[in-house]
């Protein structure tokens, strides 16, 4: 029973956000996130003009909605490829409630993701316990959204790409290596802090986005990340390492039981 509760707690994006806000090293990279409510919706749109609304528990980008307050005073949102626009806030809010239903949703500050060939992208940072029992960033992979879509997830039509190829369209080689180093360090710091509170997991996947300032922003932390996406990279050594670390930690867990 305790294990089941423990698992469900780790699925909650809200719980993970609150835990990570307790880390001085990770906090600066976390986007402002609040529980969905009418006052929070209004406040967040007034503060940021563009926000993302997402299920507290969910995967593959399902139910993720991008909402904006336009200069005309109108409100608009996009879910999948469907866009709706409203003249007043109350009608906009009522329509979002229909999408939400009885599920718990969160509102997150939106960032205008950098693009590759006019398509938004973010980065999945894979972090795993090494055979020595230390946290290590074992893989980085870019996720490029399908044209017209707001989510980058591979299971939602996103394309997987080498991060250096994505970054080289925007950054010098020196800046690129600096950004990659920052991502690797952020991944380790995030895993260490989450692990203090929830020692049960052995790997995490950070979804990190960048706007034009090139400051990493944690969009989400997944405690059961898909390792097989790394097989899509031409450099198979990354995938082999991810799977080797995964097999070792599974073996250790089985031996304990």
């Amino acid at each position: 029973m305790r294990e089941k509760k423990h698992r469900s707690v780790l699925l909650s994006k809200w719980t993970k956000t609150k835990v990570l806000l307790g880390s001085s090293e990770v906090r600066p990279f976390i986007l402002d996130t609040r529980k969905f409510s009418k006052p929070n919706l209004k406040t967040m749109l007034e503060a940021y003009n563009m926000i993302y609304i997402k299920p507290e528990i969910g995967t593959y980008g399902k139910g993720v909605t991008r909402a904006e307050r336009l200069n005309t005073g109108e409100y608009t949102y996009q879910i999948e490829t469907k866009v709706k626009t409203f003249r007043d806030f109350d009608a906009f809010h009522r329509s979002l409630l229909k999408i939400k239903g009885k599920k718990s949703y969160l509102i997150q500050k939106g960032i205008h993701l950098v693009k590759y060939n006019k398509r938004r992208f973010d980065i999945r940072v894979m972090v795993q316990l090494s055979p020595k029992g230390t946290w290590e960033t074992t893989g980085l992979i870019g996720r490029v959204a399908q044209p017209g879509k707001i989510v980058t997830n591979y299971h939602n039509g996103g394309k997987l790409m080498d991060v250096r190829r994505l970054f080289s369209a925007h950054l010098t080689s020196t800046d690129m290596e600096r950004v990659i180093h920052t991502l690797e360090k952020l991944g380790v710091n995030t895993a260490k802090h989450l692990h203090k509170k929830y020692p049960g997991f052995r790997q995490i996947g950070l979804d990190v986005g960048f706007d034009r300032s090139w400051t990493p922003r944690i969009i989400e932390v997944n405690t059961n990340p898909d390792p097989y996406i790394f097989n899509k990279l031409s450099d198979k050594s990354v995938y082999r390492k991810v799977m080797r670390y995964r097999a070792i930690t599974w073996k250790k867990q089985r031996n304990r039981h």
Side-chain angles (χ1 to χ4, degrees):
M1 183 70 188
R2 186 184 298 169
E3 189 184 341
K4 190 175 179 184
K5 185 182 177 187
H6 176 75
R7 258 203 320 268
S8 65
V9 165
L10 280 179
L11 291 174
S12 164
K13 298 177 177 73
W14 181 241
T15 300
K16 286 179 275 192
T17 299
K18 286 194 295 182
V19 171
L20 291 173
L21 284 170
S23 165
S24 59
E25 291 172 309
V26 180
R27 192 187 311 119
F29 303 101
I30 297 173
L31 291 163
D32 186 4
T33 305
R34 305 180 199 184
K35 285 267 197 178
F36 184 96
S37 70
K38 192 174 183 180
N40 282 346
L41 181 65
K42 199 169 183 66
T43 301
M44 294 278 274
L45 277 171
E46 284 172 357
Y48 306 120
N49 289 323
M50 194 266 284
I51 57 173
Y52 278 79
I53 301 161
K54 57 177 72 175
E56 182 181 340
I57 295 172
T59 54
Y60 306 149
K62 288 176 184 172
V64 174
T65 307
R66 175 185 163 118
E68 292 182 76
R69 184 180 68 157
L70 304 176
N71 293 333
T72 57
E74 294 175 307
Y75 296 88
T76 183
Y77 70 72
Q78 178 179 345
I79 181 166
E80 293 286 338
T81 52
K82 186 170 69 178
V83 179
K84 285 193 170 187
T85 304
F86 304 84
R87 288 185 178 178
D88 68 274
F89 178 79
D90 286 340
F92 166 74
H93 174 250
R94 281 196 301 273
S95 186
L96 286 171
L97 283 181
K98 287 178 186 173
I99 294 170
K100 176 184 172 295
K102 293 182 179 179
K103 287 185 176 180
S104 176
Y105 269 61
L106 303 176
I107 304 170
Q108 188 176 69
K109 176 186 175 179
I111 60 169
H112 293 279
L113 291 172
V114 286
K115 294 181 179 180
Y116 179 83
N117 289 344
K118 298 181 180 179
R119 293 159 65 178
R120 299 179 181 96
F121 73 84
D122 61 20
I123 307 298
R124 165 60 62 89
V125 182
M126 186 75 162
V127 193
Q128 296 171 286
L129 270 179
S130 74
K132 295 177 182 176
T134 57
W135 285 102
E136 189 180 322
T137 296
T138 49
L140 302 175
I141 194 167
R143 310 184 311 166
V144 185
Q146 257 192 356
K149 282 204 173 182
I150 58 168
V151 295
T152 61
N153 304 63
Y154 175 63
H155 298 280
N156 214 306
K159 184 181 179 183
L160 299 168
M161 287 183 64
D162 180 87
V163 292
R164 283 184 167 81
R165 187 173 163 194
L166 291 173
F167 288 163
S168 64
H170 299 272
L171 300 169
T172 65
S173 57
T174 305
D175 286 338
M176 181 163 59
E177 294 310 319
R178 178 181 52 78
V179 168
I180 287 171
H181 175 72
T182 301
L183 285 173
E184 289 172 344
K185 187 178 176 186
L186 178 58
V188 169
N189 286 340
T190 302
K192 279 181 178 176
H193 191 78
L194 260 183
H195 198 248
K196 282 181 199 169
K197 179 82 174 175
Y198 298 106
F201 65 90
R202 296 288 180 270
Q203 55 185 12
I204 66 166
L206 274 74
D207 295 335
V208 179
F210 295 91
D211 59 16
R212 279 180 289 183
S213 74
W214 283 94
T215 302
R217 302 293 181 196
I218 297 174
I219 296 166
E220 207 165 296
V221 178
N222 189 333
T223 51
N224 188 27
D226 179 1
Y228 299 102
I229 59 172
F230 290 93
N231 199 25
K232 298 289 180 182
L233 292 173
S234 55
D235 178 6
K236 299 300 177 188
S237 66
V238 176
Y239 176 66
R240 286 196 294 268
K241 185 174 187 178
V242 166
M243 296 307 287
R244 189 171 77 249
Y245 279 27
R246 188 169 180 258
I248 289 166
T249 54
W250 273 22
K251 190 176 178 182
K252 283 183 178 178
Q253 280 180 307
R254 279 200 304 270
N255 290 342
R256 284 197 190 101
H257 298 303

